């Protein structure tokens, strides 16, 4: 695994070692070239190890399963000298304290963007044949496991990830889940910096982000928003729930079984053409997804309501059902 990782991400190899047929020159050079965009915060007089070497080693270690500074250094230390040479280390490798002091001084946003671009250049999105494809980005708030702030509080992150590749395009640190709303704008400024623009991007988010400002931000950038609607938007929720769903034909219905559970998901979509449309900016479709679950003989049923700013021609019920599951 270590040898394969360094063959892929590093620009040089010993002259007597054959190159794997599946690895191209561009593959081997891409990460080092990308990492050169990260500024080195150290005084030039005190640089013993190249910044790109330490960062490349950290990337390889994390890909191999390391999740702490100590684990990163252990991974490097346990490699043979051939791997050290590929990493750019000669004779010795940095100590854990050296790696820690350097990495905590880096601009996290710049490093995140560099790695996101590098990963996107290597990954191929999953495209469903016969459907109009959109870049679908899911917004997700989470707690970083094992990470603590100086005062002992857990680290909360708001992330935006490409659902077709699983790559996190950007993330921002927030104080708590209630702070996700103001973090939405800076998060998507970072996403736009990685992608180049938000044109034709569909953002899928939970009910917390059913905010007028979010919809306006994405629409102004040429993007779209699909968002769940719950009690935090009572007027819009009542409007969606009160639509004549009984008269709307089923768009798509899926059934899943496993682990003693049966689940049926029924998707209906409705384009509202009444004056003023839906009570949410740029919304073109109302969506209802009914989930019926049977677990150990007990059946429950719940309905979720969403709005989507894509027209029906670009968002069929099968697409809506898939996108809703990514929120």
């Amino acid at each position: 695994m270590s040898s394969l990782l360094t063959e892929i991400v590093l620009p040089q190899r010993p002259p007597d070692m054959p190159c794997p047929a599946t690895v191209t020159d561009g593959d081997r050079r891409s990460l080092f070239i990308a990492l050169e965009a990260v500024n080195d915060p150290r005084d030039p007089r005190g640089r013993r190890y190249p910044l790109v070497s330490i960062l490349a080693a950290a990337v390889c270690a994390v890909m191999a399963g390391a999740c702490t500074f100590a684990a990163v250094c252990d991974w490097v230390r346990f490699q043979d000298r051939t791997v050290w040479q590929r990493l750019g280390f000669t004779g010795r490798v940095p100590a854990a304290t050296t790696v820690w002091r350097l990495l905590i001084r880096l601009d996290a946003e710049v490093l995140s963007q560099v790695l996101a671009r590098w990963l996107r250049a290597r990954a191929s999105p999953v495209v469903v044949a016969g459907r109009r494809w959109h870049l679908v980005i899911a917004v997700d708030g989470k707690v970083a496991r094992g990470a603590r702030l100086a005062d002992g509080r857990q680290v909360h992150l708001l992330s935006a990830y490409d659902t077709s590749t699983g790559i996190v395009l950007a993330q921002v640190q927030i104080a708590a889940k209630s702070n996700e709303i103001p973090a939405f704008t800076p998060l998507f400024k970072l996403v736009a910096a990685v992608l180049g623009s938000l044109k034709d991007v569909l953002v899928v988010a939970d009910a917390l982000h059913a905010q007028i400002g979010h919809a306006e931000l994405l629409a102004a950038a040429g993007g779209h928003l699909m968002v769940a609607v719950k009690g935090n938007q009572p007027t819009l929720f009542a409007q969606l729930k009160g639509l004549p769903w009984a008269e709307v034909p089923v768009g798509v219905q899926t059934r899943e079984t496993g682990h003693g559970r049966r689940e049926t998901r029924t998707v209906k979509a409705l384009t509202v053409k009444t004056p003023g449309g839906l009570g949410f900016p740029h919304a073109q479709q109302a969506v209802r997804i009914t989930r019926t679950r049977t677990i150990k003989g007990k059946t429950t049923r719940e309905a979720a309501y969403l709005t989507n700013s894509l027209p029906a021609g670009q968002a069929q019920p099968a697409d809506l059902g898939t996108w809703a599951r990514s929120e």
Side-chain angles (χ1 to χ4, degrees), residues 48-199:
R48 180 172 299 175
Y49 307 100
L51 174 64
V52 292
S53 296
I54 295 177
L55 292 179
V59 170
C60 289
V62 170
M63 291 173 66
C67 56
T68 65
F69 292 116
V72 168
C73 293
D74 286 344
W75 181 89
V76 177
R77 190 172 69 253
F78 294 148
Q79 306 310 310
D80 58 34
R81 290 187 177 274
T82 299
V83 175
W84 288 3
Q85 290 173 358
R86 291 200 188 106
L87 289 167
F89 301 128
T90 57
R92 55 184 176 180
V93 294
T97 52
T98 299
V99 175
W100 172 75
R101 282 196 299 263
L102 175 57
L103 294 183
I104 63 173
R105 294 174 61 191
L106 296 177
D107 187 322
E109 289 185 0
V110 171
L111 181 57
S112 176
Q113 290 179 18
V114 165
L115 293 177
R117 291 192 186 101
W118 177 68
L119 288 170
R120 290 192 75 245
R122 297 183 56 82
S124 299
V126 178
V127 181
V128 179
R131 296 185 193 169
R132 182 186 176 93
W133 182 79
H134 287 272
L135 176 58
V136 181
I137 297 176
V139 176
D140 180 33
K142 60 183 179 181
V143 175
R145 293 180 58 187
R148 296 278 179 176
L149 299 173
D151 59 5
R153 289 181 296 129
Q154 290 181 302
V155 176
H156 291 256
L157 299 172
L158 184 64
S159 304
Y161 67 94
D162 180 348
T163 60
S164 66
T165 60
I167 295 172
V168 175
L169 302 175
Q171 58 187 10
V172 294
Q173 185 175 321
I174 55 179
K177 185 173 179 61
S178 59
N179 294 78
E180 286 189 17
I181 295 173
F184 189 92
T185 296
L187 175 68
F188 276 90
K189 287 183 178 178
L190 296 177
V191 172
V194 171
L195 299 180
S197 78
L198 297 177
K199 183 174 175 56

Side-chain angles (χ1 to χ4, degrees), residues 131 136 163 202 204 226 251-254 256 263-269 285-291 304 306 308 314-327:
R131 296 185 193 169
V136 181
T163 60
L202 173 66
V204 181
M226 178 173 173
V252 66
Q253 189 173 76
T254 60
E256 297 179 359
E263 179 176 294
T264 301
R265 294 170 60 90
T266 303
V267 181
K268 291 185 176 183
Q285 290 192 84
V287 183
R288 189 182 77 171
I289 300 177
T290 305
R291 307 181 186 93
L306 307 93
N308 192 337
Q314 298 183 32
Q316 295 299 308
D319 300 316
L320 297 170
T322 299
W323 297 337
R325 302 192 77 166
S326 64
E327 64 167 274

